[in-house]
């Protein structure tokens, strides 16, 4: 991944943003050079006390020139920016109730992202899968405070506002993994509200989709089975959902396919069994302020839970 993702666009939208940025940078650079150049000339030319420039007041011509020129520059920048913004806003379709209005529904939470795939039962967290070359309409809102959804290489930023739905286009030219972040301060763990966008070729995307639609079966391994029991009997199921079980709450991330995700806790940890155990043992050790408490689970309970969660492929 580039260290300057905005300079490395991977979608037509991100490319247009980069082009606008470079365009404005050239204009500002030119103005800066002219002003700085004139200052340097003045400093050099009038460096001695005996050489004072002739004072020049009341020239209407010059006044008009230096008012009109900046106004033209500002209007020009405003016009090219407005043109771009207008092409970016995915227009929400006028919809009869119950009809699909977006391809992806993204909800910001403190401090993770919930992703629903419209027209399916698939719900996930902090990981978005999209097919390449297709412009997807993404609906963005928030369950608590204002967040901002940003995938620098693919699209513009968009605020996630409670009680309001905003829409953007999300699109990727090439298959790959694109880093997403929350771009609006939303509390202590704002910096750990990362997500990944996986862009697949259309065929691979269909494959992923059909895999994701499968509800993981109950485990047969006795340790994992014990973990499943623990999960459903403890408070876990009061916040999380796992398809095919009675756990169906959406206060915390959906765990139906947790084991197939790459990261834990919105980017804090790589998703490995060891890290999962550490996370379950004391979430606040990795993400202070996070809403999942330390349940004082015994080592055996932790092992069983990890064994179960690892079956959720
Ligand atoms: Cu969510 Cu910052």
């Amino acid at each position: 991944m580039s260290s300057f993702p905005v300079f490395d666009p991977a979608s037509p939208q991100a490319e247009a943003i980069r082009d606008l940025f470079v365009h404005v940078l050239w204009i500002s650079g030119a103005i800066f050079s002219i002003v700085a150049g004139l200052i340097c000339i003045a400093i050099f030319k009038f460096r001695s006390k005996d050489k004072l420039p002739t004072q020049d007041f009341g020239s209407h011509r010059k006044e008009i020139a230096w008012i009109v020129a900046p106004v033209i520059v500002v209007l020009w920048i405003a016009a090219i920016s407005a043109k771009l913004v207008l092409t970016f806003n995915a227009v929400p379709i006028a919809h009869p109730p119950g009809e699909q209005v977006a391809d992806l529904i993204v909800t910001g939470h403190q401090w993770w992202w919930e992703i629903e795939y419209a027209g399916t039962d698939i719900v996930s967290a902090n990981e978005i899968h999209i097919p390449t070359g297709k412009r997807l309409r993404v609906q963005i809102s928030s369950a608590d405070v204002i967040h901002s959804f940003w995938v620098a290489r693919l699209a513009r930023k968009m605020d996630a506002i409670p009680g309001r739905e905003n829409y953007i286009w999300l699109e990727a030219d090439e298959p790959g993994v694109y880093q997403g972040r929350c771009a609006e301060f939303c509390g202590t763990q704002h910096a750990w509200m990362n997500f990944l966008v996986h862009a697949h070729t259309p065929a691979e995307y269909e494959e992923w989709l059909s895999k994701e639609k499968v509800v993981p079966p109950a485990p047969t391994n006795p340790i994992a089975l014990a973990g499943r029991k623990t999960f459903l009997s403890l408070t876990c199921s009061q916040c999380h959902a796992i398809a095919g079980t009675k756990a169906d709450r959406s206060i915390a991330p959906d765990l139906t396919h947790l084991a197939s995700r790459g990261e834990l806790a919105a980017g804090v940890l790589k998703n490995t069994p060891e890290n999962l155990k550490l996370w379950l043992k004391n979430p606040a050790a990795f993400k202070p302020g996070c809403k999942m408490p330390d349940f004082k689970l015994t080592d055996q309970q932790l092992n069983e839970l990890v064994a179960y969660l690892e079956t959720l492929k």
Side-chain angles (χ1 to χ4, degrees), residues 86-224:
L86 290 177
T87 63
F88 274 3
N89 288 346
V91 195
I93 330 161
H95 54 93
E99 206 161 280
Q100 188 173 319
V101 288
D103 301 298
L104 287 167
I105 299 157
V106 173
T107 309
H109 293 256
Q110 280 177 314
W111 291 280
W112 58 282
W113 297 94
E114 181 181 0
I115 295 107
E116 293 166 74
Y117 294 77
T120 74
D121 291 329
I122 302 171
V123 184
S124 191
N126 308 322
E127 208 175 276
I128 298 177
H129 292 258
I130 61 170
T132 50
K134 193 178 169 208
R135 205 166 62 145
L136 299 172
R137 185 182 262 103
V138 185
Q139 177 193 304
I140 296 163
S141 62
S142 168
D144 36 48
V145 299
I146 299 176
H147 305 271
S148 180
F149 180 88
W150 191 31
V151 193
R153 295 190 60 201
L154 301 182
R156 60 170 291 199
K157 286 177 191 167
M158 181 50 92
D159 277 355
I161 299 170
R164 197 193 140 92
E165 284 143 14
N166 286 333
Y167 293 84
I168 58 161
W169 297 114
L170 189 65
E171 179 176 6
D173 296 332
E174 300 291 333
V177 183
Y178 302 94
Q179 179 74 59
R181 294 191 188 281
C182 178
E184 177 90 39
F185 183 72
C186 55
T188 51
Q189 292 301 325
H190 155 70
W192 284 114
M193 202 170 148
N194 297 344
F195 59 100
L196 295 172
V197 177
H198 293 257
H200 307 278
T201 61
E204 276 169 1
Y205 176 73
E206 285 306 318
E207 204 177 294
W208 174 84
L209 204 60
S210 53
K211 225 183 102 204
E212 201 74 0
K213 280 179 184 161
V214 177
V215 174
T220 45
N221 170 328
I223 302 175

